């Protein structure tokens, strides 16, 4: 019979070979206290000509600080100070690209991002848009960039996001908060100098550090977990616990948190984040809540998903006397909740990683709203 034939034919077709993702990694990295003084030597061979400047995008916290005299400027190199008070926006990237193109006859030799996740993401996006036509918002998504980015170097001054190692740059666009995820986003060179994090205020240190801790919890408890992610996630988790729960010397703590951030970023590269990030993106889109604190505000209420992680998180908060603001969602309208829920549930891969293929029946809009209402 026809049906039987079809069935028996099917049996002879070999099972599809799984397709594994082929990720780029940062090809060069220097780590160590004081390593910032090597930056000039690292950049020199990458300089195209005396007319092709290096553009340093620097967190404006460093404006008028002693540190700025150590930036190795030559010829017409330029420092552009940028505030990290707000998360990076697609329009901000476009404006920077236009300014750089108008100001210099020759394309720059490279872009150097110096700061936290905000500056690291901006520098990645600017280097992509300098070599690709159109607007930053056109590239929000997965693998939409066709030409390699301009040479770009990332230098974190606060530890936790993993932006120094990831293949994404998270931007707030006119319609969505979404990364430019591409093989060309990843930095060509990263310089990890833990001394640069000495001036980070305590609360910010905690919030950005918890971003790393939450990356680990979400990766290690996700359905996408595999040996690659687990190996990095476990190491990052161990380092976070030493930094935030043990009493280790400050210098060692700075070194370890910087490496935790790196490993946490590597862990999610080959898996995904989960419930806290999906919700925190919603908060950030509607209310402009910054990523680190947004994750903490959400994560404290997620014991049903991450019981062990939330217990450790609360211990860490207590040890460092961190008091999170309350009532963030107290005065929101139903329309506000709908916007947050829409943004959050749109991040399908995060939910699938957290709750499995059947996540839509588990995380209904009502259940999600009840979680937001606790914040
Ligand atoms: P941030 O860059 O927003 O900076 C937070 C604050 O710390 C700012 O006020 C900044 O001026 C200050 N600061 C930074 N370094 C300092 C220093 N050495 N001394 C004193 N103050 C300092 O913080 P963040 O938490 O690192 O980054 C958050 C951003 O990272 C968000 O925009 C988020 O979307 C993004 N992010 C990106 C990725 C990625 O993979 N691309 C991952 C996670 C988060
Ligand atoms: Zn994060």
């Amino acid at each position: 019979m026809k049906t039987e034939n079809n069935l028996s034919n099917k049996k002879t077709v070999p099972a599809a070979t799984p397709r594994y993702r082929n990720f780029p990694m940062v090809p060069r990295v220097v780590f160590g206290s004081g390593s910032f003084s090597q930056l000039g030597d690292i950049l020199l061979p990458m300089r195209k000509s005396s007319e092709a400047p290096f553009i340093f995008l620097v967190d404006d916290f460093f404006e008028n600080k002693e540190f700025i005299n150590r930036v190795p400027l030559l010829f017409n190199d330029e420092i552009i100070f940028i505030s990290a008070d707000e998360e990076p926006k697609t329009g901000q990237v476009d404006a920077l690209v236009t300014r750089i193109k108008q100001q210099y006859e020759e394309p720059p030799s490279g872009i150097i991002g110096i700061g936290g996740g905000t500056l690291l993401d901006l520098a990645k996006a600017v280097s992509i848009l300098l070599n690709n036509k159109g607007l930053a918002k056109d590239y929000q998504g997965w693998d939409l960039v066709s030409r390699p980015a301009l040479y770009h170097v990332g230098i974190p001054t606060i530890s936790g996001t993993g932006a120094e190692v990831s293949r994404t740059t998270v931007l707030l666009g006119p319609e969505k908060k979404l990364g430019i995820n591409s093989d060309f986003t990843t930095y060509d060179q990263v310089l990890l100098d833990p001394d640069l994090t000495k001036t980070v205020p305590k609360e910010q240190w905690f919030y950005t550090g918890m971003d790393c801790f939450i990356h680990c919890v979400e990766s290690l408890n996700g359905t996408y977990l595999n040996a690659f992610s687990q190996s990095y996630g476990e190491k990052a988790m161990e380092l976070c616990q030493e930094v935030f729960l043990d009493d280790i010397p400050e210098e060692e703590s700075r070194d370890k948190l910087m490496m935790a951030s790196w490993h946490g970023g590597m862990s999610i590269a080959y898996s995904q984040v989960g419930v806290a990030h999906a919700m925190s993106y919603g908060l950030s889109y509607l209310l402009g809540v910054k990523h680190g604190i947004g994750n903490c505000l959400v994560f404290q209420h997620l014991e049903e998903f991450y019981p062990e992680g939330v217990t450790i998180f609360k211990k860490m908060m207590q040890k460092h006397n961190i008091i999170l603001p309350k009532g963030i969602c107290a005065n929101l309208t139903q329309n506000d909740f709908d916007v947050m829920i829409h943004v959050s549930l749109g991040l399908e891969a995060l939910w699938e990683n957290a709750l499995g293929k059947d996540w839509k029946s588990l995380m209904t809009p009502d259940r999600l709203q009840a979680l937001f209402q606790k914040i």
Side-chain angles (χ1 to χ4, degrees):
M1 277 160 53
K2 210 175 175 199
T3 330
E4 275 171 5
N5 274 346
N6 281 352
L7 281 176
S8 59
N9 279 348
K10 255 191 194 160
K11 273 187 195 157
T12 61
V13 177
T17 322
R19 290 285 301 165
Y20 296 105
R21 301 180 70 181
N22 184 11
F23 283 119
M25 287 171 92
V26 173
R28 283 188 171 263
V29 54
V30 49
F31 169 83
S33 158
S35 59
F36 186 78
S37 56
Q38 287 171 233
L39 183 60
D41 293 344
I42 291 170
L43 297 182
L44 203 56
M46 306 312 295
R47 192 178 286 279
K48 289 190 254 179
S49 78
S50 57
E51 300 305 308
F54 277 109
I55 312 281
F56 297 80
L57 304 183
V58 182
D59 188 315
D60 70 359
F61 166 81
F62 293 103
E63 199 166 1
N64 303 320
K65 300 276 191 316
E66 179 68 30
F67 167 75
I68 281 306
N69 304 325
R70 297 178 57 207
V71 176
L73 298 177
L74 275 180
F75 308 113
N76 56 351
D77 289 354
E78 185 186 357
I79 297 179
I80 302 178
F81 289 106
I82 296 175
S83 163
D85 287 351
E86 290 182 8
E87 299 208 329
K89 300 189 176 50
T90 52
Q92 189 182 10
V93 173
D94 298 329
L96 279 164
V97 170
T98 306
R99 174 192 191 290
I100 292 169
K101 280 187 175 163
Q102 282 174 351
Q103 190 158 340
Y104 299 98
E105 273 174 30
E106 274 193 43
S109 293
I111 302 293
I112 324 294
I114 304 181
T118 300
L119 267 291
L120 294 178
D121 277 359
L122 270 175
K124 285 174 172 180
V126 167
S127 66
I128 290 171
L129 267 294
L130 277 168
N131 274 7
N132 286 274
K133 291 201 174 81
L135 299 172
K137 71 175 173 56
D138 305 336
Y139 296 99
Q140 282 180 288
W142 280 268
D143 301 306
L144 303 171
V145 181
S146 54
R147 300 189 58 212
L150 192 70
Y151 174 73
H152 52 305
V153 180
I155 307 181
T157 64
I158 179 170
S159 300
T161 65
E164 66 279 14
V165 77
S166 71
R167 82 189 272 283
T168 190
T169 154
V170 186
L171 300 175
L172 203 58
E175 285 151 29
K176 52 199 169 199
K177 178 176 174 183
L178 186 62
I180 300 179
N181 299 267
S182 85
D183 284 355
F184 305 121
T185 308
T186 319
Y187 276 112
D188 297 300
Q189 167 83 56
V190 168
L191 189 150
L192 301 175
D193 182 346
D195 288 359
L196 303 184
T197 66
K198 275 183 188 168
T199 46
V200 173
K202 186 170 169 202
E203 262 83 22
Q204 192 61 54
W205 165 80
F206 187 83
Y207 298 146
T208 301
M210 284 305 107
D211 188 22
C212 176
F213 174 72
I214 296 168
H215 290 160
C216 299
V217 173
E218 295 187 315
S219 162
L220 292 172
N221 291 285
T223 60
Y224 290 3
L225 189 64
N226 52 70
F228 184 102
S229 296
Q230 189 175 2
S231 64
Y232 285 107
E234 284 175 353
K235 188 66 209 176
M237 173 64 91
E238 180 191 313
L239 291 167
C240 282
Q241 297 206 30
E242 280 184 65
V243 168
F244 291 102
L245 288 178
D246 296 349
D247 294 303
I248 58 174
E250 274 184 27
E251 191 182 337
E252 186 182 336
S253 174
R254 283 194 294 272
D255 287 8
K256 287 191 162 164
L257 191 53
M258 200 156 247
M259 287 323 297
S261 174
W262 182 274
H263 281 78
M266 287 298 295
S267 178
I268 45 175
Y270 227 105
S271 65
Q272 244 314 342
V273 282
V275 181
H277 275 74
M279 290 183 63
S280 150
Y281 270 42
L283 270 187
S284 152
Y285 185 83
L286 182 79
L287 302 171
V289 177
K290 294 203 69 186
H291 188 73
I293 189 170
N295 283 348
C296 292
L297 285 167
V298 173
F299 193 70
Q300 60 178 332
H301 299 299
L302 299 184
E303 28 313 64
E304 61 196 292
F305 306 99
Y306 307 114
E308 202 190 333
V310 174
T311 306
I312 299 173
F313 172 75
K314 288 190 173 162
K315 259 193 220 164
M316 290 171 169
M317 282 220 329
Q318 207 174 7
K319 180 166 170 75
H320 297 287
N321 301 316
I322 301 293
I323 298 173
L324 291 169
K326 288 199 170 73
I328 304 290
C329 296
N331 299 317
L332 298 186
T333 63
Q334 187 54 47
N335 188 47
D336 291 336
F337 281 112
D338 291 345
V339 169
M340 284 200 298
I341 290 166
H342 178 74
V343 170
S344 177
L345 291 182
L347 298 161
E348 303 207 351
L350 282 64
W351 291 106
E352 185 180 290
N353 175 46
L355 306 176
K357 291 220 177 300
D358 199 22
W359 67 269
K360 282 186 183 155
S361 65
L362 296 169
M363 187 47 69
T364 59
D366 285 349
R367 186 176 182 197
L368 187 52
Q369 176 154 343
L371 283 170
F372 274 125
Q373 278 166 332
K374 290 186 183 176
I375 298 169

